[in-house]
Amino acid sequence: MSSMSESELVRVVLFLLPSLLTLLLILILRTKSHRRFNLPPGSSGWPFLGETIGYLRPFSATSLGDFMDQHVTRYGKIYKSNLFGERTIVSADAGLNRFILQNEGKLFECSYPKSIGGILGKWSMLVLVGDMHKNMRIISLNFLSHARLRTHLLKEVHHHTLLVLSSWKHNSTFSAQDEAKKFTFNLMAKHIMSLDPGEPETEQLKKEYVTFMKGVVSAPLNFPGTAYRRALQSRSAILKFIERKMEERIKRSNEVGTEDGEDDDLLGWVLKHSNLSTEQILDLILSLLFAGHETSSVAIALAIYFLQGSPAALQQLQASQQKSTTHSCALFFLFFFSLKSEEHSEIARAKKLAGEAELNWEDYKKMEFTQCVISETLRLGNVVRFLHRKALKDVRYKGYDIPCGWKVLPVISAAHLDGSMFEDPQHFNPWRWLQNNNDGRGSPSATTAAANNSKNSNNYFMPFGGGPRLCAGSEFAKLEMAVFIHHLVLNYRWELADEDQPFAFPYLDFPKGLPITVKRRDMGT
């Protein structure tokens, strides 16, 4: 009996030995795996929540915020954290940010929270990866081609700018942010589906879109009464609207002898030139409406905010038209004088002499200093502050390891607000973007800034992202801003009607809507 028990014990041990050895091997490998990673310093924060609440706490958009400042000071420009429910490497390092974007699809991959895909759609360009994203992006690039910008889209931007600005009454006060949103929404609705501003269907779509946007930037709580639930309902209504437009187009195109003049918009172009499914087209249209409206309207509001500068400097400029002896007022005077008198007034005079009303591409290319203003607005305002990525492989950078599967957040705004790259980074200084400072009016510091920028802007200035996912509408967005600024500075003076400033929530917004009071230039002060 005893010997049988011993033999049975031996058999049991022999039976379990492979499993025990396998388990031991796994533990050894796991231990070695943890030891071989040299992770950046950092903190995981609270259980489950991590540090997400602190990371998303609102702060001035012209800064990195207390959370980032404190973490960078304590841990360095590359640190580990736990954000959005995932182990995360956060990068405020300009070199690493560029490295991440340039290696999209190789070492890193776009990886937004599931809630974003749930509301924008699984075929949205924002969340797509790989070949499908490439195909969608090609469609967008073809429709936003250089030729179309010159021959078609410039006219639309010109028309919709005048439509909004002509409604501004002398000495009136209103939300500049709302006006910017009205401009970009009407432009995108016309550009995408040939919808005319003010029409009942356009206004209904705008109403649904406003509800949709409130949910996009809200907490993803899918319960009755929440902004996210209402946004999902509005998304459904918007998609039904787009699908109805699609069916109308297809029906008309099938009618013999019927020519559809709306083929020139995005919906008509996609129906004619792509093989996308109905669901893919719906998500593409919605995502482009979102991207084209939201980011451009914020950028225009930022330009209005930055251009008004200091009320005292603006008042002195309007009253005396003489240079102040202070450096800040001198810069402000030179800026407005350059933008208004030297650039846009010259364009306006040439148009009047030629008997032309609409801007053309040659006029747009003359707006050189305006492009400096646009670049500085995007650098200081940072419409897009950070991006969501995921490591596809184990990556080593500057001695630190980024493990495969970890979330990676390149903070684009960190480079834009880095004093080692941009002199006096919290100061709005369009001259830093001038490649040559030959007019004799720039200070040595301005010249240095321009020199610094010429070396760094191409590599680390990334307001539209970078790499294979560079924003397809970047040139269109700059065209919108330039034309709007052109007509704005020619026709109006403005000042803040109430104190307001851009905040990052992390989406960028003006808490009070940027209230301004405008005065028409042709009616004096």
Side-chain angles (χ1 to χ4, degrees):
M1 204 60 156
S2 171
S3 61
M4 286 188 64
S5 297
E6 289 179 359
S7 64
E8 285 179 357
L9 182 59
V10 171
R11 283 198 297 270
V12 169
V13 171
L14 291 174
F15 177 77
L16 293 177
L17 187 59
S19 299
L20 292 171
L21 290 174
T22 301
L23 180 60
L24 181 61
L25 182 61
I26 290 173
L27 291 173
I28 292 172
L29 289 175
R30 183 171 294 180
T31 302
K32 286 185 176 181
S33 176
H34 283 296
R35 286 177 179 172
R36 71 184 177 89
F37 285 133
N38 181 33
L39 296 173
S43 171
S44 296
W46 294 91
F48 304 111
L49 292 176
E51 296 187 297
T52 306
I53 294 176
Y55 184 79
L56 297 180
R57 187 174 293 125
F59 57 89
S60 171
T62 58
S63 72
L64 286 181
D66 290 342
F67 180 93
M68 280 293 295
D69 280 339
Q70 291 167 5
H71 278 62
V72 169
T73 300
R74 183 175 182 182
Y75 302 120
K77 292 185 177 181
I78 304 173
Y79 63 88
K80 68 179 179 182
S81 183
N82 189 320
L83 300 172
F84 308 100
E86 298 183 63
R87 296 175 298 178
T88 306
I89 301 295
V90 180
S91 170
D93 183 274
L96 177 55
N97 291 348
R98 185 171 185 271
F99 178 76
I100 292 168
L101 299 188
Q102 293 296 326
N103 283 280
E104 174 73 26
K106 301 173 185 175
L107 302 177
F108 302 93
E109 184 176 78
C110 179
S111 180
Y112 280 84
K114 290 182 179 179
S115 59
I116 297 295
I119 200 164
L120 289 180
K122 67 179 183 180
W123 298 108
S124 167
M125 283 183 64
L126 188 66
V127 298
L128 283 175
V129 297
D131 290 339
M132 196 63 227
H133 174 267
K134 186 185 298 183
N135 293 339
M136 290 285 202
R137 188 169 184 274
I138 288 173
I139 290 173
S140 302
L141 286 172
N142 286 336
F143 189 72
L144 295 169
S145 66
H146 187 265
R148 283 186 60 82
L149 287 175
R150 292 180 59 137
T151 60
H152 181 72
L153 298 178
L154 175 56
K155 293 180 180 179
E156 289 292 337
V157 173
H158 180 91
H159 170 72
H160 283 278
T161 299
L162 293 179
L163 197 64
V164 169
L165 294 185
S166 63
S167 68
W168 293 5
K169 295 181 180 179
H170 178 67
N171 210 28
S172 61
T173 299
F174 48 79
S175 165
Q177 181 173 256
D178 288 348
E179 291 298 291
K181 288 186 175 183
K182 181 196 301 182
F183 163 65
T184 56
F185 182 86
N186 288 341
L187 178 61
M188 292 307 296
K190 182 70 174 180
H191 172 55
I192 291 175
M193 289 181 287
S194 295
L195 300 178
D196 293 319
E199 293 295 323
E201 63 177 1
T202 309
E203 294 306 307
Q204 180 60 35
L205 179 64
K206 184 187 296 183
K207 181 180 177 182
E208 296 289 358
Y209 181 79
V210 169
T211 304
F212 170 76
M213 270 309 304
K214 289 179 180 178
V216 170
V217 298
S218 70
L221 303 174
N222 191 8
F223 303 114
T226 63
Y228 190 79
R229 170 65 68 86
R230 289 193 294 270
L232 290 175
Q233 294 168 344
S234 288
R235 166 186 158 79
S236 178
I238 293 170
L239 295 183
K240 287 178 181 177
F241 179 91
I242 300 172
E243 189 168 13
R244 187 171 70 251
K245 287 293 179 182
M246 286 177 57
E247 292 170 351
E248 291 173 1
R249 300 286 182 91
I250 293 171
K251 181 180 178 181
R252 283 202 299 269
S253 67
N254 290 334
E255 292 177 2
V256 179
T258 299
E259 292 185 5
D260 192 350
E262 295 172 330
D263 280 349
D264 210 27
D265 62 21
L266 179 62
L267 180 57
W269 196 92
V270 170
L271 289 172
K272 180 180 288 186
H273 299 286
S274 79
N275 295 316
L276 298 179
S277 67
T278 297
E279 184 182 7
Q280 290 170 337
I281 292 175
L282 294 177
D283 281 357
L284 173 65
I285 296 293
L286 179 60
S287 64
L288 290 179
L289 179 63
F290 165 73
H293 165 263
E294 205 59 28
T295 54
S296 294
S297 65
V298 169
I300 290 171
L302 281 169
I304 294 173
Y305 171 75
F306 289 134
L307 292 185
Q308 60 81 33
S310 164
L314 180 58
Q315 184 177 0
Q316 181 176 341
L317 167 64
Q318 293 171 339
S320 66
Q321 291 292 306
Q322 294 177 354
K323 297 181 185 180
S324 166
T325 55
T326 64
H327 179 67
S328 61
C329 288
L331 281 177
F332 192 77
F333 172 82
L334 290 175
F335 166 69
F336 249 86
F337 186 80
S338 297
L339 192 64
K340 167 74 170 69
S341 299
E342 295 180 6
E343 190 159 273
H344 293 286
S345 290
E346 182 61 35
I347 293 171
R349 281 194 295 269
K351 302 300 292 182
K352 187 175 182 180
L353 288 173
E356 299 173 354
E358 289 188 351
L359 292 171
N360 56 41
W361 195 255
E362 287 66 34
D363 300 324
Y364 173 59
K365 299 306 290 184
K366 291 175 183 176
M367 301 179 190
E368 295 179 1
F369 192 70
T370 304
Q371 293 300 327
C372 296
V373 172
I374 291 171
S375 292
E376 184 68 351
T377 297
L378 297 174
R379 181 199 67 81
L380 184 56
N382 290 292
V383 178
V384 178
R385 308 194 71 81
F386 64 92
L387 302 170
H388 291 261
R389 295 294 185 266
K390 177 178 68 177
L392 296 176
K393 300 177 181 178
D394 292 340
V395 178
R396 172 158 288 207
Y397 187 86
K398 289 186 176 179
Y400 290 131
D401 291 311
I402 304 174
C404 176
W406 277 47
K407 176 178 279 292
V408 183
L409 291 187
V411 182
I412 305 301
S413 59
H416 296 170
L417 300 173
D418 189 337
S420 67
M421 295 185 178
F422 298 99
E423 184 177 303
D424 197 6
Q426 265 72 39
H427 178 59
F428 183 75
N429 176 17
W431 291 278
R432 75 173 79 245
W433 299 98
L434 293 174
Q435 295 301 310
N436 297 295
N437 194 348
N438 297 323
D439 57 8
R441 299 181 303 188
S443 66
S445 61
T447 305
T448 302
N452 286 343
N453 175 70
S454 66
K455 293 184 291 184
N456 294 316
S457 62
N458 287 338
N459 290 334
Y460 306 124
F461 179 58
M462 298 182 288
F464 298 104
R469 297 185 74 94
L470 177 69
C471 176
S474 58
E475 292 303 318
F476 182 52
K478 288 188 281 189
L479 177 67
E480 289 178 277
M481 292 183 71
V483 174
F484 195 95
I485 289 171
H486 169 78
H487 290 293
L488 177 66
V489 300
L490 281 177
N491 294 291
Y492 293 95
R493 296 181 178 90
W494 70 97
E495 60 185 15
L496 287 182
D498 195 3
E499 281 192 23
D500 203 4
Q501 65 172 309
F503 269 80
F505 291 91
Y507 62 93
L508 199 146
D509 194 29
F510 287 88
K512 297 180 182 179
L514 189 59
I516 61 171
T517 299
V518 298
K519 299 179 185 294
R520 290 194 60 90
R521 287 187 176 275
D522 57 10
M523 299 185 71
T525 59

